[in-house]
Amino acid sequence: MQAPEQSATARKDCINALDLLWLEITPKCNLNCVHCYADSSPYKPLSSGLSIDDWLALINEASVLNCRMIQFIGGEPTIHPDLPKLISAARAAGIPSIEVYTNGTCFTSALQECFLENNVQLAFSVYADDPAIHDLVTRTDGSQQKTLAAIEWAMKNSMTVRAGVIDAGINKSHTEAAVQLLKSKGLKNVGIDRSRN
């Protein structure tokens, strides 16, 4: 049997270890990307089984465990109607860093206001410098234009913004150019990643 002092130390180490919590609040996405690791699409249900009360309880538990950062993901988290409530709850619970990983194509004025009021950080997926190639990956016409507009809006409002240029195979020859495009717009935190299936 472990000594009580060791158990307390182990518990403290465990509590201090929760740096980041991903909350995948929906499997649904408005895009239908060819490479999606989560198999998200417009055809998925909005809810994956957890209620708003379940998500709020998870946020409160994360706060108790000294969670340093919550990242809302999906699917596309911005299409979930409870995202503003969850963001506000995370801020009220004292979570120091709140990030939304998004394609940026579904921003409403109410959602933008929530982001600004709660000092939300934004992370975006981008696929190519060429709109046609980007939209080929997302299988959604006009998606690159909307994503870039959302990035520009966030930067204009002095938000903390980063972007991942994802190599989905069919866009491989456009990833470096996409990084340069984003940097030319003033975005400094840009990296290239590969899709994981």
Side-chain angles (χ1 to χ4, degrees):
M1 180 178 229
Q2 192 173 26
E5 293 80 16
Q6 291 173 325
S7 296
T9 300
R11 282 196 304 273
K12 184 178 180 197
D13 288 345
C14 179
I15 289 173
N16 289 336
L18 187 57
D19 291 326
L20 170 62
L21 178 64
W22 290 292
L23 295 181
E24 186 175 319
I25 61 172
T26 180
K28 190 178 186 76
C29 185
N30 60 308
L31 305 181
N32 195 17
C33 297
V34 297
H35 66 288
C36 185
Y37 77 95
D39 196 31
S40 300
S41 76
Y43 312 107
K44 295 286 184 173
L46 186 63
S47 172
S48 59
L50 295 180
S51 69
I52 181 66
D53 290 336
D54 294 328
W55 291 117
L56 293 172
L58 285 169
I59 290 169
N60 286 332
E61 287 178 35
S63 176
V64 169
L65 294 172
N66 299 318
C67 181
R68 305 299 301 162
M69 179 179 190
I70 286 180
Q71 185 185 69
F72 293 99
I73 61 174
E76 173 52 37
T78 63
I79 66 174
H80 197 290
D82 290 323
L83 179 61
K85 185 173 185 177
L86 295 172
I87 288 171
S88 297
R91 181 58 66 217
I95 304 296
S97 181
I98 301 166
E99 184 176 71
V100 175
Y101 201 99
T102 179
N103 60 43
T105 63
C106 297
F107 286 11
T108 63
S109 57
L111 195 53
Q112 290 172 329
E113 186 177 328
C114 173
F115 290 162
L116 295 174
E117 285 177 358
N118 291 284
N119 194 26
V120 170
Q121 301 172 42
L122 295 173
F124 294 88
S125 293
V126 178
Y127 301 105
D129 59 317
D130 182 336
I133 300 300
H134 179 103
D135 295 356
L136 183 66
V137 173
T138 65
R139 294 191 279 209
T140 307
D141 291 343
S143 61
Q144 191 224 41
Q145 181 182 4
K146 290 178 181 178
T147 297
L148 293 180
I151 291 170
E152 290 168 2
W153 169 83
M155 292 174 60
K156 179 181 174 185
N157 284 280
S158 303
M159 297 180 71
T160 300
V161 182
R162 65 185 178 92
V165 177
I166 313 300
D167 175 358
I170 61 174
N171 63 325
K172 187 173 187 63
S173 63
H174 291 267
T175 54
E176 288 289 349
V179 169
Q180 293 311 311
L181 172 66
L182 293 167
K183 288 185 174 179
S184 75
K185 294 179 178 296
L187 185 58
K188 294 180 174 58
N189 192 350
V190 185
I192 293 180
D193 200 358
R194 60 180 177 77
S195 63
R196 292 168 178 80
N197 296 330

